[in-house]
Amino acid sequence: MYAVRRWVVRHSRGFEMIYNAFEPVIARLDPLWRSVGYARAERPVAKVERAIKGFLFDCKMCGQCALSSTGMSCPMNCPKTLRNGPCGGVRANGHCEVKPEMKCVWAEAWAGSQQMKSGKKIHVVQKPVDNRLRDTSSWLRVVRKIAEQRAGQGEQK
């Protein structure tokens, strides 16, 4: 997985384009998710999400995906699970102090973000991880958020 994860970061611009195409498609499925019930859809969607994101990003299924803000490098792969930048122990060669054989997740995140159109999002401070959301689908969470925003805009008109 480590080699795939590093490859994805090196190609973060392409994965950003894929994500930007995927998000509106899955968001348009909100009526389906509502008719099935988000709670009933959670398990199968999370299973698919885990398989895809696990392979590509070594996803830990925190339920609060930040890949589009972190250069397609999952911050949960940091041995210290730091969400907002590297610790003070990054080695001179850019490797992790805890796992010296591994490149620092945040060094990778910075490199990946520099290739992305939305690369400045790496400067946005991420909220702390809510462990209650672990093993849940961040995809469905994004869909619900988009649907709520659309509903709110419809009420304002």
Side-chain angles (χ1 to χ4, degrees), residues 19 49 53 57 59 62-76 82-84 106 109 113 116 118 121-122 124-127 129 138-139 142:
Y19 177 78
E49 185 174 344
K53 287 170 51 180
F57 310 105
C59 174
C62 71
Q64 300 137 97
C65 189
L67 288 167
S68 62
S69 300
T70 57
M72 298 296 164
S73 177
C74 178
M76 301 311 292
L82 297 178
R83 280 293 267 198
N84 288 297
W106 283 99
S113 72
M116 296 170 64
S118 63
K121 287 168 65 175
I122 197 165
V124 176
V125 175
Q126 299 294 319
K127 293 178 182 175
V129 174
S138 63
W139 290 348
V142 166

Side-chain angles (χ1 to χ4, degrees), residues 40-138:
R40 284 172 74 195
E42 179 66 44
R43 181 181 261 155
V45 172
K47 192 172 187 173
V48 171
E49 185 174 344
R50 177 185 300 280
I52 294 169
K53 287 170 51 180
F55 175 72
L56 292 171
F57 310 105
D58 199 12
C59 174
K60 303 301 181 207
M61 290 299 288
C62 71
Q64 300 137 97
C65 189
L67 288 167
S68 62
S69 300
T70 57
M72 298 296 164
S73 177
C74 178
M76 301 311 292
N77 286 308
C78 170
K80 296 180 180 181
T81 62
L82 297 178
R83 280 293 267 198
N84 288 297
C87 68
V90 180
R91 295 169 185 258
N93 65 357
H95 285 241
C96 174
E97 76 172 339
V98 177
K99 291 184 175 180
E101 70 282 0
M102 182 178 91
K103 187 113 167 126
C104 171
V105 168
W106 283 99
E108 298 240 332
W110 182 259
S113 72
Q114 300 309 295
Q115 298 175 45
M116 296 170 64
K117 278 189 176 180
S118 63
K120 292 184 184 212
K121 287 168 65 175
I122 197 165
H123 297 289
V124 176
V125 175
Q126 299 294 319
K127 293 178 182 175
V129 174
D130 181 346
N131 287 309
R132 296 172 296 178
L133 301 176
R134 187 170 221 37
D135 296 321
T136 63
S137 172
S138 63

